Structure formats: C-alpha cells, structure tokens
Amino acid sequence: MTTNTSSRVKPAVLDKNAEVLIHRSLWMDAVRRFSRNRLAMFGLVVITSLVLLAIFADILAPYPLDKVFLTKRASTLPFVYPEHPLGLDQSTRDYLSRLIHGARTSLFVGLAVPFISFLVGVPLGALSGYVGGKVDFAIQRVVDVATAIPPLLFALFLLSALGSGVSNVIFVLAVTGWIEPTRLTRAQFLAYREKEFVLSARALGSGDLRIILQHILPNAMSPLLVSFTFAIPLAIFAEAGLSFLGIGITEPTASWGKMVGSGIGNSIRVYYHIALFPTILVALTMLGFSFVGDGLQEALDPHRSR
Amino acid sequence: MTGYIIRRMVALFFVMLMVSIIVFVLMNAVPGGPFSLGERGYTPDAMANLERKYGLDKPLLERYWNFLSGALRLDFGYSFAVAGNPPVTDVILRTWPVTLHVGIYTIVLSFGLGSLMGIVAAYRRNSWLDNAVTFTATLGITLPNFIIATFFLLIFGFQNGWGQDPRKWIIPPLSPDSLPLLSWDYFLPVLTYALAPLALVARYTRSSVSDALSADYVRTARAKGLSHRAIMFRHVLRNALIPMVTVLLPQIPNLLTGSLFIEVVYGIPGLGKFFVTSIFNRDYPMIMGLVLLIAFFWGLTYLLTDILYTLIDPRIRITGRGSA
C-alpha cells in the first residue's frame, strides 16, 4: 500500500545548485536508504565476495576440486603442509580448494531454487488473486495440501526416491518453494485488484494482461523482491542441511553442508578443520543474505518501524 | 464456533487424505523396494516370500486401501526395517517421548527466556541490553541449527574440564528405555534447539511490547497514575500477547516433533532421527505413519492457533461481550 502511494506521489527534493525540483523515484530512495544501513552494506560485501569466489573458483582455488594427493596423509590439519594452508580432507583433497568450490554449489542452489519457485509461484498467485472464483479455490486447495507437508521431510523423502545430485536438490526444494511466492502474490493481487488505479485502467480499456503486468505487478514488486532475498538463504540452508544428512549433493561436487556433516563425529576434537571452516562459511553466507534482506525490507518500506 | 471447528476438522481430514495419497504413490513409484537395498542378497524366491509377507505383491490400489482402513483405526502396520518388525505405533510411542522431552524443555527455555529478553529489550530500548538481545536474535534466526550444533561440538568437544567424559557431550546416551527426567544430556541439544525459537520469541515480544508501550491506552493509564506494575501486567503484556500467539504457536508442532539435524548431530533416538533412517531404509509403513503424524500435528496446531486467537482478542470474537 505504501508502495502504491509513494510510486505515484514522487518525493520532490530541491537541489540548491540547479535550483530545480528533482524527482526521486521509489527505487532511488530505496538505494539511498539501503546504502546508509551498515549491516546491509556488510551483508552486500559478504555476498559480493562470495559471488566472486564462486565465479572465479577455478582460478582462485590452488588445485582442482577433485585432485587427490595420495602420498600425503588423509585429514591433515591446517598448516602442516605449506602448500595446503587449510589442510587436507579425508580423501586427501586440498581443503581450501574444496571450500572455494563449495561457494559455487551453495550460490547456484541458493539462486536457482528461489528463481524456479518464483517462476511458478508468481503466475499462480497472480492468477489466483486476479481471477478469483473457482481458479482461486482450486489453487488454494493445492496450497493447503502442500502446506500440510513438512517441507524438509518431504525434500528428504523425494531425494531418497529421486536420488541425490545438484539438479535433484534444486528440484525437490522448488517443489515446496513455490508455496510462499504464490501466497504472497495472491495477497498482493487481492489487495490491488479493486483499487482505483486498476479500475481506471480498466475503464480506459486496458486488457487483463496489461493490468496484471503494468499496473498490479509493479506495485507488488517490492514485497516480492524482499521475499526473494529471504528465500536465498533458506535454499542455501536447505541444501547444506540435506547434504549434511548425506542425501543432498553427491561426490565429487563440493558442498559446505556435506563437509560439515563429514566433520561431525568422534574425530571432531582432533580434525576440527573439517567441520570448522565450512561452518563459518555457511554462517557468514546466511548472515550476509539475511542482513541484505532486512536492509531491503527497511529500504523499500520506509513506514515500517523497526 | 462449533460449526467452524467441525468444518476445519473436516478440511484437515481431507488434506491428510491427500497427503497420504501423494506420499504413498511417490513412495511406491520408485523402482526397487525395501528389500532390494544393500547387500542382503535375497534370492528371487526369498524376495517373493518377503513381499508376500508384507503384502507388497498386491496391486497398488489394494495396498493403499489396506493402509487406509488400518490408518483409520490408528494401525499403521509393521515396520520393515526396525529389528523385530514391531508395529509402527509401538515404535512411535517408544521414540516420541525422547523427542517430547527435548521439545518440552526447548519450549520452556525458548518461550520463557525469550519473552523475558524481549520485554527487557522493549523497556530499555536502544540500550546495550537491547542491542545484545537484537544481536542474539539475529544470530538465532539466521544460523541453521546444525551449524550451531557443530560450533557447540567444536567448543565443548575440546573441553575436558567439565567433570565428565567429553564424549558424553558429543553423543549423549539418551535411550528411550532409560529416559531420565532431567539430565545434563539434555543441555546441549536443548540449548541448540532453543536458540532459533528463542530468537523469534525475543524479537516478537520486543516489537509487540514496544508497540503496546507507545499505545494511547498506556499513556492514559500512566496519566491516571497507575502503578508501574499494574500498567505492565494489565495493559502492556496482555495486549502484547495477541500478535505473539499467531506467530509463536505454530512453532510448537515443530519443537514437539523434533529436528532432524539436532537429533542426528547429538545422536538422540527420537522421531526426527527415526524419520531419516526410515527414509534411508525405505521403511514404507514407518514413513507413512510419521508423515501423517507430523501433518496431523501441524494442522491441529494451526486450528488451535486460530481458535486461541479469537479467545485472546475479544475484538475478533463473533459474539463477544466486548471485554476480556
């Protein structure tokens, strides 16, 4: 609702030098507010470095992710071999290289799952909220059933049926991931469907598709964007969790969750590095995305009090 | 109200029916079966015998019908994988108390300490205490609990000065047969498990209490000269309770059915860990029983939340007297 008014009534600022009124859009305002938020900027820095790490993993990592050093001891602690600063894992692979490649898996799953979920959920929610009636009823009953299924248990169950692997993990997480965007989009469309600006667009002869895409969707954009940002760490967490349980990502692909899982056990007191470094990386990633999500929420909805 | 509850119960029943069909079909659509796994090396004859014994040779529709007619009498059949093939209900009755113990302590700790932290933070807004609470809440909400559990293992796994075998901290010997009411074994699992709900409770209490503190009726109460305590209990906390109920009650079914990660990390023989092993073993009756139990529990809690919401907030009641 706030979005609606502020996008129509643009805040005008008097620029002293130019002595003309400068109009700032909602998005420019949001960028200003976002850049003043220290935690959000910290999150942005963390995410940017992770993205760079993921893109240039092949260049940055000292060794390929599946290269084994059979002559060296497995699970070697950090700083024992100068050429392996973070030590070796249980299969004598360079741990630093695997951690760097883990960023790629994490971010890929973290972005792919919300992307597919929103690709399915937003049109479904728009249809449900805009058309209403029987379509809405049918979609909402599917949502009801899907909500009753515990998402992580269902993902675990589906993975055991489909088999592990990156694409399967993305698929099973998207199977339950579409519910939230559907519900959110529906609520937004219900709220705007009878608003004056929609009625006037209709009176001017706009078609349904035009009203949906040009009039309602832009207004629903900021809550959807915030929801998308929060869906990323959730997907990263789910991937790490499934891999941690040993059913997510398969070897030789590197996954932080899998690394944490393999580091847990009686040897955690000695070979602390196997669990410690991926734990820190998952924690940093989750915090980074959450800070950015919080920052976006505040920046896009200035009336929300903390 | 009664009509509303009945309608919701009927809806819940149909949702569970759909869930059971989906899970049943998916479970059986996968090639292979519970006895074709691993290196057990059954001969084809033995396989056929086993499948006949568990009714797996019958057509899918008949099997579903058998399952459904049993499930309506709370009989989910016999476990395939648990030693001795006990009835599923027996296994659930044996493992659930373990999860319930951890879950109830978690609820007490997270809701008790969490609301206290939230209230203190709301009263001392922008003090160091408030910042500390907000910081803890952010950590608790964002960090996955298996990550926190790993941190704890790394910290406490090294500790030898705790007066006991450090291995005890790694894998607490919680067994359903000798379940102590209170023991140090619960400490780490409960602490880990409580962090996320605690953060949520603290955050919501803080925002709803500070909203109530700045409300007009509280200013009026202050102007009337009411004591601090009367304002706090009669006006602030009562109204702050309303938004908390809807957000926090749905957390409870999660806590009472256990977390996969917490139970796997700390080796707790509860429902969550059993679910993971059942899935790995393709123990069909166990999977069906556990999924339906959890789905029922969730649905029931959502219903209870909605009912409680109307009870707590008289403004929502359809035929209310207007005062609480």
Side-chain angles (χ1 to χ4, degrees):
Chain A
M1 281 152 270
T2 0
T3 323
N4 176 23
T5 49
S6 38
S7 65
R8 278 187 300 160
V9 187
K10 287 176 181 166
V13 177
L14 194 65
D15 191 310
K16 278 173 196 155
N17 300 330
E19 292 195 343
V20 283
L21 279 175
I22 297 173
H23 288 278
R24 264 209 321 260
S25 73
L26 165 81
W27 298 100
M28 279 164 69
D29 252 6
V31 168
R32 276 168 59 92
R33 270 194 294 270
F34 187 85
S35 57
R36 286 199 192 128
N37 187 330
R38 254 186 266 157
L39 275 182
M41 289 313 280
F42 166 76
L44 200 64
V45 169
V46 169
I47 293 174
T48 313
S49 12
L50 280 172
V51 169
L52 291 178
L53 210 61
I55 294 174
F56 299 110
D58 293 319
I59 303 166
L60 290 172
Y63 305 98
L65 84 160
D66 49 359
K67 186 170 168 63
V68 288
F69 297 89
L70 285 175
T71 49
K72 291 166 182 163
R73 264 192 55 212
S75 308
T76 311
L77 287 173
F79 316 118
V80 173
Y81 297 112
E83 65 271 30
H84 302 295
L86 294 186
L88 298 168
D89 73 356
Q90 297 97 323
S91 315
T92 66
R93 294 172 297 195
D94 181 59
Y95 214 53
L96 178 64
S97 306
R98 292 197 60 78
L99 283 170
I100 292 174
H101 277 280
R104 190 175 271 186
T105 314
S106 248
L107 283 181
F108 182 61
V109 175
L111 289 173
V113 172
F115 187 74
I116 297 172
S117 305
F118 276 69
L119 214 59
V120 175
V122 171
L124 265 184
L127 199 69
S128 190
Y130 188 78
V131 179
K134 277 180 186 158
V135 179
D136 183 36
F137 183 82
I139 294 176
Q140 286 317 300
R141 293 296 79 73
V142 179
V143 168
D144 279 350
V145 173
T147 318
I149 305 175
L152 210 61
L153 296 190
F154 196 60
L156 194 68
F157 168 71
L158 274 182
L159 270 186
S160 76
L162 294 170
S164 308
V166 177
S167 50
N168 282 354
V169 168
I170 293 172
F171 173 74
V172 301
L173 292 179
V175 162
T176 46
W178 61 274
I179 302 172
E180 194 47 40
T182 304
R183 206 180 291 166
L184 186 65
T185 315
R186 175 177 178 265
Q188 292 289 318
F189 270 73
L190 278 181
Y192 289 118
R193 193 173 58 179
E194 308 296 338
K195 286 267 161 151
E196 292 84 353
F197 67 92
V198 173
L199 288 179
S200 60
R202 193 170 291 143
L204 286 171
S206 304
D208 285 337
L209 199 66
R210 190 185 164 82
I211 292 176
I212 290 177
L213 293 179
Q214 299 248 325
H215 293 278
I216 304 185
L217 206 58
N219 279 297
M221 214 53 206
S222 63
L224 282 176
L225 187 69
V226 170
S227 168
F228 191 91
T229 318
F230 280 122
I232 297 171
L234 278 183
I236 290 177
F237 157 64
E239 179 272 309
L242 290 169
S243 305
F244 171 82
L245 291 175
I247 200 164
I249 307 292
T250 40
E251 293 288 339
T253 312
S255 150
W256 293 335
K258 196 173 60 188
M259 293 160 146
V260 177
S262 63
I264 296 253
N266 292 338
S267 57
I268 196 172
R269 289 162 60 205
V270 185
Y271 302 118
Y272 67 93
H273 65 296
I274 294 175
L276 180 66
F277 298 124
T279 306
I280 291 172
L281 283 171
V282 175
L284 261 180
T285 313
M286 302 284 294
L287 283 177
F289 276 107
S290 300
F291 287 156
V292 168
D294 283 337
L296 267 183
Q297 198 162 36
E298 262 170 48
L300 288 172
D301 191 355
H303 291 275
R304 228 178 85 99
S305 60
R306 200 172 78 104
Chain B
M1 194 64 174
T2 325
Y4 172 74
I5 294 174
I6 291 173
R7 247 181 301 140
R8 286 284 302 264
M9 289 300 278
V10 172
L12 178 59
F13 175 78
F14 278 106
V15 163
M16 287 186 54
L17 199 69
M18 284 306 296
V19 170
S20 76
I21 292 174
I22 292 170
V23 174
F24 197 86
V25 168
L26 282 174
M27 203 163 62
N28 287 284
V30 189
F35 304 109
S36 59
L37 289 173
E39 288 107 39
R40 269 171 266 188
Y42 292 119
T43 61
D45 283 351
M47 277 283 275
N49 264 333
L50 273 170
E51 293 200 333
R52 200 164 53 244
K53 181 185 171 193
Y54 292 105
L56 290 172
D57 54 338
K58 301 204 178 76
L60 194 66
L61 210 62
E62 195 185 333
R63 269 157 54 199
Y64 180 73
W65 178 249
N66 284 343
F67 159 78
L68 194 66
S69 53
L72 289 175
R73 284 176 277 115
L74 287 181
D75 171 16
F76 294 97
Y78 296 87
S79 162
F80 294 165
V82 179
N85 303 95
V88 168
T89 33
D90 278 17
V91 180
I92 291 178
L93 286 179
R94 226 172 55 213
T95 51
W96 204 5
V98 185
T99 300
L100 278 179
H101 269 69
V102 177
I104 288 169
Y105 291 143
T106 306
I107 290 173
V108 171
L109 179 68
S110 57
F111 279 61
L113 194 64
S115 47
L116 201 70
M117 279 165 66
I119 293 168
V120 169
Y123 262 89
R124 305 249 178 278
R125 270 193 87 151
N126 299 324
S127 67
W128 66 269
L129 247 168
D130 181 22
N131 289 336
V133 169
T134 312
F135 180 73
T136 320
T138 311
L139 283 189
I141 289 172
T142 37
L143 294 184
N145 53 20
F146 70 93
I147 291 298
I148 297 171
T150 311
F151 263 125
F152 280 165
L153 283 190
L154 281 162
I155 298 166
F156 297 110
F158 279 118
Q159 286 280 357
N160 281 303
W162 281 77
Q164 51 182 313
D165 179 13
R167 266 204 62 155
K168 219 181 159 195
W169 290 93
I170 294 176
I171 303 159
L174 286 174
S175 86
D177 307 314
S178 58
L179 197 63
L181 201 59
L182 255 180
S183 137
W184 276 112
D185 294 342
Y186 293 122
F187 183 74
L188 271 191
V190 167
L191 191 66
T192 318
Y193 204 6
L195 217 55
L198 186 140
L200 214 61
V201 173
R203 202 177 194 176
Y204 273 96
T205 316
R206 180 184 177 276
S207 75
S208 59
V209 168
S210 56
D211 279 355
L213 274 175
S214 57
D216 289 340
Y217 54 81
V218 169
R219 199 189 311 140
T220 312
R222 238 177 232 142
K224 280 196 321 196
L226 282 187
S227 74
H228 214 68
R229 183 177 297 179
I231 292 173
M232 165 111 170
F233 284 102
R234 294 282 294 272
H235 297 277
V236 174
L237 288 188
R238 224 184 239 190
N239 282 289
L241 206 63
I242 300 165
M244 280 172 61
V245 167
T246 38
V247 181
L248 302 180
L249 266 192
Q251 298 295 315
I252 288 181
N254 266 332
L255 297 175
L256 291 185
T257 47
S259 152
L260 306 176
F261 301 119
I262 300 283
E263 298 196 352
V264 168
V265 173
Y266 292 110
I268 300 166
L271 279 188
K273 196 172 174 233
F274 242 90
F275 192 84
V276 178
T277 39
S278 308
I279 279 183
F280 284 142
N281 292 330
R282 297 184 69 173
D283 195 342
Y284 294 163
M286 281 297 300
I287 295 175
M288 289 300 283
L290 286 173
V291 166
L292 286 184
L293 176 82
I294 293 169
F296 177 71
F297 218 55
W298 279 36
L300 205 64
T301 320
Y302 283 127
L303 178 61
L304 278 180
T305 311
D306 288 350
I307 294 171
L308 214 66
Y309 195 48
T310 60
L311 288 182
I312 284 187
D313 193 347
R315 283 167 294 187
I316 297 170
R317 209 182 301 173
I318 313 155
T319 51
R321 278 170 292 125
S323 67

